[in-house]
Amino acid sequence: FYGAKNLKKITVENCLAIGEKAFANCEKLDDIGLELGSGFMSFGSDVFENTAFTNDLSNYDLDGVLYHNNHLIASLPEYDREYYAIKEGTNVVAGGAFDWDSLEEVYIPSDVFNMSVNPFYRCANLKNFDVGNTGIFTTDAYGVLKQGNILVSYPNGRFLTCYVFNQVNEVASYAFYGSPVRNFYIPTDVVLRDYALGGDTVTDIHY
């Protein structure tokens, strides 16, 4: 539906995934119905970029963050900050949702069950994920965010040139995008999603 000029309303129910830029540049789209169940697997990056829905500033909360039906969709760059706590009750965080250069730490509540496309790859100074002691998210010794055996996000504000994968089956889209990591040691059975290692900045991959 990318660029559908006359699309004004959509309803998405019980689907498994919404692809990157699926409804981007649908400039009249302002009526969004999202009911994503627990089986939902992937909310791509910039799904609603440049739509009436995301361009309407009244849809954002006082922190400059756009929520819809317990889904965190996007943030406004001008509300940049060092710390942000995702609202309790949030279930899904969209890929690339945060566009804050100054963000250093983010709190992820236990209600979140899906961040399968890295929401934080635009956050150049992010150093820490606060995941508490509940929920399905953890961090490793390098501060890397994991959802079970899926590596979701490398905190781009931590300087590390080499990363060795351990207890990981899958690397999410954009997980290392924008990171300083250039060398990777990856088991051959690990699944790499789109731009998982950051594109053309990688210098060495060892299997």
Side-chain angles (χ1 to χ4, degrees):
F1 295 97
Y2 178 92
K5 294 181 179 180
N6 296 314
L7 184 64
K8 296 181 178 181
K9 178 180 179 179
I10 63 165
T11 301
V12 180
E13 297 179 345
N14 299 319
C15 70
L16 294 179
I18 303 176
E20 181 172 336
K21 295 183 181 291
F23 300 99
N25 291 326
C26 298
E27 296 180 1
K28 295 181 180 179
L29 179 60
D30 63 356
D31 191 346
I32 309 292
L34 295 178
E35 297 294 338
L36 309 178
S38 59
F40 184 74
M41 297 176 62
S42 180
F43 201 122
S45 182
D46 303 323
V47 168
F48 297 111
E49 180 183 44
N50 192 33
T51 61
F53 174 60
T54 54
N55 290 339
D56 184 350
L57 299 184
S58 68
N59 288 330
Y60 294 77
D61 66 13
L62 295 177
D63 293 318
V65 179
L66 176 58
Y67 288 88
H68 180 72
N69 287 3
N70 297 326
H71 313 315
L72 195 162
I73 306 298
S75 63
L76 295 171
E78 57 266 35
Y79 283 75
D80 194 9
R81 66 196 59 218
E82 294 183 358
Y83 175 82
Y84 183 72
I86 295 173
K87 289 183 179 180
E88 301 288 342
T90 301
N91 298 142
V92 176
V93 184
F98 290 92
D99 192 5
W100 292 343
D101 281 342
S102 298
L103 188 65
E104 295 186 1
E105 183 174 6
V106 61
Y107 166 72
I108 301 170
S110 60
D111 303 289
V112 176
F113 64 74
N114 187 283
M115 285 195 295
S116 59
V117 178
N118 184 7
F120 310 105
Y121 68 84
R122 296 183 172 111
C123 303
N125 293 294
L126 183 60
K127 297 180 177 67
N128 295 301
F129 298 104
D130 179 2
V131 297
N133 297 315
T134 59
I136 62 174
F137 290 92
T138 59
T139 56
D140 67 13
Y142 303 104
V144 172
L145 181 68
K146 295 181 179 180
Q147 178 180 335
N149 290 324
I150 301 173
L151 192 156
V152 175
S153 180
Y154 178 88
N156 290 345
R158 292 196 179 201
F159 187 76
L160 187 71
T161 58
C162 176
Y163 187 80
V164 180
F165 289 84
N166 184 32
Q167 296 182 331
V168 171
N169 296 334
E170 180 180 327
V171 184
S173 294
Y174 296 95
F176 286 88
Y177 196 92
S179 82
V181 181
R182 298 294 179 266
N183 301 283
F184 296 91
Y185 290 80
I186 309 172
T188 56
D189 59 346
V190 171
V191 177
L192 301 177
R193 299 302 179 187
D194 293 344
Y195 303 105
L197 302 184
D200 58 6
T201 59
V202 178
T203 57
D204 290 292
I205 300 176
H206 306 273
Y207 292 99

